[in-house]
Amino acid sequence: MKKAAASTPPAEEAASTESAARQIDAKIASLADWRGKTLATVRALIRQADPDVVEEVKWRGVPVWSHAGMICTGETYQLAVKLTFAKGAALPDPAHLFNASLDGNTRRAIDLHEGEHLDAAAFKALIRAAVAANTAPKPKRTTT
C-alpha cells in the first residue's frame, strides 16, 4: 500500500514562493559587491530561460531554483558565486560553462569570479536542458 503524498495547498505554496523570492532579494541586497550583482544577473537569466521556475531557499539561506526537481543552487563565497547543477553531469555543455565539481558522477558547477563574464545564451540553454531532464518521462522499470 502506498502512502498518499502530502500536498501543499496552492495558497500556501504561493506564499512560500513569495517568501523565498523575498529572502533571495534580501540575500542579493546584503551582498553589496560583485557577488550580489552576479547572483542577481544569474537569477534574471534563470527566470528568462524558464518563466515557470520555482525559487526556494534551503540550507541556511542558499537560493535554489527548481522545476519538476532541482535545477541548480546559487551559493556565494568570498571569492566565487557557485552555481551547482543537481544533474549537471547528464547535461550537454557545448560552451564548457562547467568549471567546478567535474569529478563527480552527478553534479557539475560553474564558479564565477569577480570580473568574469557568463555567456548568457549558453547559460540559458543549460537551464533549459536541466528543465528538460527534470520533466522527461522516466523510463519504466521492468520486473523479471
Side-chain angles (χ1 to χ4, degrees):
M1 184 173 175
K2 288 184 178 178
K3 274 188 173 178
S7 64
T8 305
E12 284 183 36
E13 189 173 300
S16 175
T17 300
E18 290 174 18
S19 173
R22 282 194 303 271
Q23 289 177 56
I24 295 170
D25 289 341
K27 180 164 189 84
I28 289 169
S30 75
L31 298 165
D33 58 10
W34 68 272
R35 296 171 302 159
K37 291 176 186 168
T38 300
L39 191 58
T41 298
V42 166
R43 180 189 198 191
L45 292 172
I46 292 168
R47 288 173 161 180
Q48 289 168 18
D50 180 19
D52 296 326
V53 72
V54 174
E55 293 187 318
E56 303 169 278
V57 176
K58 298 184 178 185
W59 309 297
R60 292 187 232 166
V62 175
V64 177
W65 291 275
S66 300
H67 183 142
M70 188 182 301
I71 298 171
C72 69
T73 63
E75 299 167 84
T76 53
Y77 298 98
Q78 188 171 5
L79 298 177
V81 173
K82 179 182 279 297
L83 306 167
T84 302
F85 284 71
K87 298 177 183 175
L91 300 178
D93 182 23
H96 305 288
L97 295 179
F98 291 130
N99 60 6
S101 304
L102 301 175
D103 296 334
N105 293 331
T106 306
R107 293 183 306 234
R108 293 286 184 269
I110 302 169
D111 281 359
L112 299 170
H113 301 95
E114 187 172 10
E116 290 182 342
H117 171 75
L118 178 63
D119 180 334
F123 182 71
K124 290 195 281 189
L126 201 55
I127 294 296
R128 288 187 202 96
V131 171
N134 286 351
T135 57
K138 306 295 184 241
K140 292 185 178 182
R141 287 186 170 182
T142 58
T143 56
T144 55

